Amino acid sequence: MVDKETLAQFIRTEFPQTRVVIDSVGQRAATVSLDVDDSDLRPGGTVSGPTMMALADVALYVAVLGEIGIVPLAVTTNLTINFLRRPAAGQRLRGECQLMKVGKSLAIGEVSLYSAGNDEPVAHVVGTYAIPPQHLR
Amino acid sequence: MVDKETLAQFIRTEFPQTRVVIDSVGQRAATVSLDVDDSDLRPGGTVSGPTMMALADVALYVAVLGEIGIVPLAVTTNLTINFLRRPAAGQRLRGECQLMKVGKSLAIGEVSLYSAGNDEPVAHVVGTYAIPPQHLR
Amino acid sequence: MVDKETLAQFIRTEFPQTRVVIDSVGQRAATVSLDVDDSDLRPGGTVSGPTMMALADVALYVAVLGEIGIVPLAVTTNLTINFLRRPAAGQRLRGECQLMKVGKSLAIGEVSLYSAGNDEPVAHVVGTYAIPPQHLR
Amino acid sequence: MVDKETLAQFIRTEFPQTRVVIDSVGQRAATVSLDVDDSDLRPGGTVSGPTMMALADVALYVAVLGEIGIVPLAVTTNLTINFLRRPAAGQRLRGECQLMKVGKSLAIGEVSLYSAGNDEPVAHVVGTYAIPPQHLR
């Protein structure tokens, strides 16, 4: 188990451009969030798909590292996203990840994305991380 | 059928931040590419996952609009990406989209992503666009 | 809303070969289960992948019809399954579906599959059903 | 590389109930086919979704084993299917698999499914097989 501050520090180093914040991590789960700004929006004021995918990817990564420790070589191998509703433009976006399996070589989790103030998810992601074998870490 | 210049103009308006370029469109297909820069990279020099997802999403969108015409309300509903190999940091990224179905309400296509100079794909995407009914366009 | 008996009758007509049983339906959810028999097993005694996909597909279908009513033209357009753990051979398989969206033309839900007696899911499915427009039903 | 007869013998042992036939294998590819019968059909005469998923799964498995040899512990970890068109009831179903990556621990491929006599695919699958490490085979 890795604590939130250690992970936050690691994420700032690994993703220097990211504005994603870790809200909580632990128990095979993680919550992350993003203060949506103009660079995340498309005309009409909706949040862009890639912004949502990126947030979900970080949520998965944080949840996985929270379980296996800081392993920089862990990589996403597969990600499926379903877009469910238009997120609100001015609202913070939150990603809640729950891991379904943390095996020796693969970790699989799902992420529900929410616009602050709305109980219905705006998108849903299932993703797989490949975990390198011990001797390669 | 919509020509490449009309589509390029539309993409510049819809995605003002994008640096993706349309290389070709037509015949239920499209090729787009991106000059990868520092903002697309992660430490170690590999292209970030969200950059690849964004490029694939534009490739799909361009291929779909090339068939159905400029329909701004068409939205991605579902996207699955498999990451296959590390893309080279300094190389242009290319997305080749082929639509498998263009129906009345759904269009489905696949995109292979390539790093310039490598014949093996770095990622593969399958995605679905929902096409609004005529009276809502 | 459609009650369980009406749906069970419809499923028996639509899938005459199925041995899947509806345990509950309602509230944008459904639980179905299957008494695994020899025809569902692979050597070594594990339940076959297609058996799990079929069970998840019925769970989704039942949950969707429970919301929109008996609409035989509703069809699966997309399904993603992640296999998480080996199901036990002699155990009943249960699929718990929760819909994430029931829109006018698409319904999207997830299904967790469980082997009786084990709290950890053996597989996870996300699937989309296309709902035909009113005038085509 | 494993030849077609060896693979056919192995598939008959592993999937004793299957009626799927191997048409060709090699070059990171495989073609398999199925003589659709009444047990594969749904009312109205269309081929059931699980029948298509099962055929695609065998196509992937055969293509993977054709590359890495007979490794019974290789298992599907992830499969995404998009249903594109209604297959014809009386027509043989064919699955053409092309692997996109054969790594040390994962193999990823896509399968296009066709109804005999129709050039447009009826479904498209992307799937991942986990390959056990050498010392566990």
Side-chain angles (χ1 to χ4, degrees):
Chain A
M1 291 279 301
V2 184
D3 69 84
K4 188 176 126 179
E5 282 320 306
T6 308
L7 273 168
Q9 181 60 48
F10 174 73
I11 293 292
R12 277 191 294 270
T13 312
E14 277 281 292
F15 304 89
Q17 300 101 346
T18 196
R19 304 189 325 274
V20 176
V21 171
I22 304 176
D23 297 325
S24 67
V25 62
Q27 311 272 51
R28 300 207 304 182
T31 299
V32 303
S33 61
L34 175 73
D35 212 359
V36 174
D37 77 11
D38 281 356
S39 69
D40 303 310
L41 298 184
R42 288 186 45 188
T46 195
V47 179
S48 79
T51 292
M52 289 191 265
M53 294 187 252
L55 183 62
D57 195 35
V58 174
L60 271 164
Y61 195 43
V62 168
V64 169
L65 297 188
E67 288 302 305
I68 66 170
I70 303 283
V71 176
L73 293 171
V75 291
T76 316
T77 59
N78 173 272
L79 189 150
T80 293
I81 186 164
N82 278 280
F83 296 97
L84 303 170
R85 293 169 188 85
R86 274 172 84 96
Q91 296 299 322
R92 199 168 177 79
L93 204 62
R94 191 176 76 252
E96 301 187 354
C97 175
Q98 183 68 49
L99 299 178
M100 297 185 279
K101 179 188 178 174
V102 183
K104 252 171 281 184
S105 59
L106 292 176
I108 303 178
E110 62 176 324
V111 186
S112 294
L113 297 180
Y114 297 91
S115 256
N118 191 339
D119 281 350
E120 299 271 32
V122 295
H124 179 266
V125 166
V126 185
T128 302
Y129 262 78
I131 303 170
Q134 282 287 352
H135 68 280
L136 290 182
R137 294 184 191 176
Chain B
M1 291 281 300
V2 184
D3 69 85
K4 187 177 126 179
E5 282 319 307
T6 308
L7 273 168
Q9 181 59 49
F10 174 72
I11 293 292
R12 276 191 294 270
T13 312
E14 276 283 292
F15 303 90
Q17 300 101 345
T18 198
R19 306 188 325 274
V20 175
V21 171
I22 303 176
D23 297 325
S24 67
V25 60
Q27 311 271 53
R28 299 207 305 182
T31 299
V32 302
S33 60
L34 175 72
D35 212 358
V36 174
D37 77 11
D38 282 355
S39 70
D40 302 311
L41 297 184
R42 286 186 45 189
T46 195
V47 179
S48 79
T51 291
M52 289 192 265
M53 293 186 253
L55 183 62
D57 194 37
V58 173
L60 272 163
Y61 196 43
V62 167
V64 170
L65 298 188
E67 288 302 305
I68 67 171
I70 302 284
V71 177
L73 292 172
V75 291
T76 317
T77 59
N78 173 273
L79 188 149
T80 292
I81 185 164
N82 279 280
F83 296 97
L84 303 170
R85 294 167 187 86
R86 274 172 86 95
Q91 296 299 323
R92 199 170 178 79
L93 203 63
R94 190 174 78 253
E96 301 187 354
C97 175
Q98 183 68 49
L99 299 178
M100 296 184 280
K101 179 188 177 174
V102 183
K104 252 171 281 185
S105 60
L106 292 176
I108 303 178
E110 63 176 323
V111 185
S112 294
L113 297 180
Y114 297 91
S115 255
N118 191 339
D119 281 352
E120 299 270 31
V122 295
H124 178 267
V125 167
V126 185
T128 302
Y129 263 78
I131 303 170
Q134 283 288 352
H135 68 280
L136 290 182
R137 294 186 191 175
Chain C
M1 291 280 300
V2 184
D3 68 85
K4 187 177 127 180
E5 282 320 305
T6 308
L7 273 168
Q9 182 59 48
F10 174 72
I11 293 292
R12 276 192 294 271
T13 313
E14 276 283 292
F15 303 90
Q17 300 101 345
T18 196
R19 304 187 328 274
V20 176
V21 170
I22 303 176
D23 297 325
S24 67
V25 61
Q27 313 271 50
R28 300 207 303 182
T31 300
V32 303
S33 61
L34 174 72
D35 212 359
V36 173
D37 76 11
D38 281 356
S39 70
D40 303 310
L41 298 184
R42 286 186 45 189
T46 196
V47 179
S48 79
T51 291
M52 289 191 265
M53 294 186 253
L55 183 62
D57 194 37
V58 174
L60 272 164
Y61 195 43
V62 167
V64 170
L65 298 188
E67 289 302 305
I68 66 171
I70 303 282
V71 177
L73 292 172
V75 291
T76 317
T77 59
N78 173 271
L79 188 149
T80 293
I81 186 165
N82 278 281
F83 296 97
L84 303 170
R85 293 167 187 86
R86 274 172 86 94
Q91 297 299 322
R92 198 168 179 80
L93 203 63
R94 191 175 78 252
E96 301 187 353
C97 175
Q98 183 68 50
L99 299 179
M100 296 184 282
K101 179 187 177 174
V102 183
K104 253 171 279 185
S105 59
L106 292 176
I108 303 178
E110 62 176 323
V111 185
S112 295
L113 297 180
Y114 296 91
S115 256
N118 191 339
D119 281 351
E120 299 270 31
V122 296
H124 179 266
V125 167
V126 185
T128 302
Y129 263 78
I131 303 171
Q134 283 288 353
H135 67 280
L136 290 181
R137 295 185 189 175
Chain D
M1 291 280 302
V2 184
D3 69 84
K4 186 177 128 178
E5 282 319 307
T6 308
L7 273 169
Q9 181 59 48
F10 174 72
I11 292 293
R12 276 191 294 270
T13 313
E14 277 282 291
F15 304 90
Q17 299 102 344
T18 197
R19 303 187 330 272
V20 176
V21 171
I22 303 176
D23 297 325
S24 68
V25 61
Q27 313 271 51
R28 301 206 304 181
T31 299
V32 302
S33 61
L34 174 73
D35 212 358
V36 174
D37 76 11
D38 282 356
S39 70
D40 303 310
L41 297 183
R42 285 186 48 189
T46 194
V47 180
S48 79
T51 291
M52 289 191 263
M53 294 186 252
L55 183 62
D57 195 36
V58 173
L60 271 164
Y61 196 42
V62 167
V64 169
L65 297 188
E67 288 302 305
I68 66 170
I70 302 284
V71 176
L73 292 172
V75 291
T76 317
T77 59
N78 172 272
L79 188 150
T80 293
I81 185 164
N82 279 280
F83 297 97
L84 304 170
R85 293 168 188 85
R86 274 172 84 96
Q91 297 299 322
R92 198 170 178 79
L93 203 63
R94 191 174 78 251
E96 302 187 352
C97 175
Q98 183 68 49
L99 299 179
M100 296 184 280
K101 179 188 177 175
V102 183
K104 253 171 281 185
S105 59
L106 292 176
I108 303 177
E110 62 176 324
V111 186
S112 294
L113 297 179
Y114 297 91
S115 256
N118 191 339
D119 281 351
E120 299 271 32
V122 294
H124 179 266
V125 167
V126 185
T128 302
Y129 262 78
I131 303 170
Q134 283 287 354
H135 68 280
L136 290 182
R137 293 185 191 176

